Amino acid sequence: MRAARFKAKQGINNLMKVIVNVPLHVTSIWLPRYTNDPMTTGSLGAGIVIRPGLVMTIEGGEGTMGLRHIDEVLRRYNVNAVVKYETQAPLGFGYGMSAALTLGTALGVAALLRKPLLEAAQVAHEVEVNLGTGLGDVIAEFYGGGIEIRVKPGAPGVGVIDKIPYPNNLVILTHEFTREDTNVMLLRLRDKLEVLGKEFMGEIMREPTYENFVRLSMEFSRRIGFLTRDIEDNVRPCIKYLDGYYVKKGVLVLITHRDKADEASQCLSERGIHVRRFKPSDAGAWVRITH
Ligand SMILES: Nc1ncnc2c1ncn2[C@@H]1O[C@H](COP(=O)(O)OP(=O)(O)O)[C@@H](O)[C@H]1O
Ligand SMILES: CC(C)(COP(=O)(O)O)[C@@H](O)C(=O)O
């Protein structure tokens, strides 16, 4: 378990501890929407909210500095807290991990201070936007919805999320390639995203079905340049176990079902694609207070 400790400023009840579960989020299609207000800045798009994500514990106490996102949330609330987190997925590959850490901290601190969770999610969204590390991750992770579609950009309470119904027992397998900072990636792909994001968002909105989500996610990641011929050649022998696959930044996402997931994992690992296993998260983030 990683721990970040911060010097106390505002009173947090030291007898209380908050446990926050935050799912991860892997966008497949997205269209950045920038305004001069972080609350209305965000992305339109679609993606999968997955679990298990991040488990955080937040309690009163003092300590040293950690990740700048966590630091920034604590600064905004003017508190000291001990923040610990556990997760199986890495930071910087495209799992929306920076958003999960930011959201988890904000929700935990808000619960300790008896402040509204929606406001905390908005703080997390602002921090993500200001640091250039996320646009649509906080709203997706806060609300969940499994396969989600962002129909209005912005922070929770401002942006709007809809759900795409998906089959029972869906299993999401992932594999990481390389890290890339989100702000670098967004700058590198800015013009392509504007064109392809609009085209694909229009298509998915016309018929927001599971089948279209899978088909358009694959096609978007090909056209944006994440899903290369090499990756496809390597995955193709395992296609009979999969509904589809896409790549977002450094994460390969493979969509399968519970009764095929073991064979899919085996087939992929024989080809050097070692996978992590997730399920869609309907619930989004949740907070539990312990004493
Ligand atoms: N080991 C680390 N320690 C501190 N900060 C890190 C570390 N690794 C990455 N970061 C920072 O974390 C953020 C990762 O954000 P992002 O690229 O959006 O990741 P993700 O795709 O997981 O959401 C970046 O601001 C990066 O500078
Ligand atoms: C794609 C991204 C802008 C960044 O995602 P990540 O690399 O996971 O930080 C995301 O926030 C989105 O709007 O869909």
Side-chain angles (χ1 to χ4, degrees):
M1 179 171 268
R2 312 269 282 275
R5 294 167 174 277
F6 298 85
K7 219 170 161 40
K9 292 169 192 156
Q10 210 188 119
I12 283 184
N13 180 346
N14 279 334
L15 299 175
M16 271 170 57
K17 179 159 116 181
V18 172
I19 299 171
V20 187
N21 262 259
V22 188
L24 304 177
H25 172 242
V26 195
T27 286
S28 63
I29 294 166
W30 82 99
L31 172 62
R33 296 286 83 179
Y34 300 103
T35 69
N36 52 15
D37 179 359
M39 292 289 282
T40 48
T41 293
S43 62
L44 296 167
I48 314 183
V49 188
I50 56 174
R51 68 189 168 95
L54 187 64
V55 182
M56 297 186 92
T57 60
I58 294 108
E59 57 194 316
E62 309 189 2
T64 54
M65 302 280 286
L67 189 76
R68 62 194 172 127
H69 295 71
I70 295 177
D71 198 8
E72 183 56 21
V73 170
L74 295 170
R75 195 191 63 74
R76 294 272 300 253
Y77 278 100
N78 193 31
V79 286
N80 39 340
V82 179
V83 178
K84 296 178 186 163
Y85 59 92
E86 259 177 14
T87 178
Q88 51 156 304
L91 181 64
F93 285 81
Y95 286 102
M97 184 61 81
S98 62
L101 288 161
T102 313
L103 179 60
T105 306
L107 294 174
V109 168
L112 287 170
L113 296 174
R114 311 280 196 213
K115 301 233 172 177
L117 296 186
L118 178 61
E119 206 176 274
Q122 294 178 340
V123 166
H125 177 83
E126 281 199 1
V127 169
E128 269 278 277
V129 169
N130 289 340
L131 291 176
T133 50
L135 294 169
D137 289 329
V138 167
I139 191 168
E141 291 168 358
F142 185 56
Y143 288 120
I147 299 185
E148 60 75 34
I149 177 160
R150 278 157 280 139
V151 298
K152 184 175 170 222
V158 174
V160 175
I161 288 244
D162 199 356
K163 305 173 188 187
I164 298 180
Y166 57 89
N168 231 354
N169 301 325
L170 213 60
V171 171
I172 311 300
L173 304 174
T174 67
H175 171 84
E176 294 103 44
F177 298 116
T178 45
R179 273 191 57 161
E180 183 176 9
D181 274 351
T182 297
N183 38 22
V184 174
M185 184 256 308
L186 288 176
L187 208 58
R188 181 170 71 80
L189 297 174
R190 195 172 51 189
D191 297 343
K192 265 187 171 177
L193 282 169
E194 195 57 32
V195 176
L196 292 177
K198 269 192 190 130
E199 180 187 329
F200 279 75
M201 194 54 201
E203 274 221 47
I204 190 97
M205 289 292 286
R206 266 191 290 282
E207 211 184 313
T209 60
Y210 172 71
E211 291 73 20
N212 269 340
F213 170 80
V214 173
R215 182 178 64 81
L216 293 168
S217 299
M218 290 178 80
E219 189 53 25
F220 181 88
S221 73
R222 273 186 202 117
R223 301 253 311 265
I224 207 85
F226 287 146
L227 181 54
T228 62
R229 173 78 56 90
D230 279 359
I231 298 171
E232 294 218 57
D233 287 348
N234 212 14
V235 169
R236 194 162 297 115
C238 308
I239 194 72
K240 57 179 173 289
Y241 306 117
L242 305 171
D243 284 358
Y245 50 90
Y246 64 88
V247 178
K248 140 77 191 316
K249 205 166 80 168
V251 186
L252 170 63
V253 176
L254 307 121
I255 305 167
T256 184
H257 296 259
R258 194 166 61 194
D259 59 347
K260 292 188 195 154
D262 287 343
E263 286 167 299
S265 304
Q266 176 66 30
C267 176
L268 291 160
S269 95
E270 281 163 13
R271 314 196 64 78
I273 304 173
H274 302 287
V275 294
R276 301 180 196 279
R277 188 168 170 157
F278 298 92
K279 289 179 187 171
S281 166
D282 280 322
W286 54 264
V287 178
R288 205 174 64 225
I289 297 176
T290 63
H291 290 274

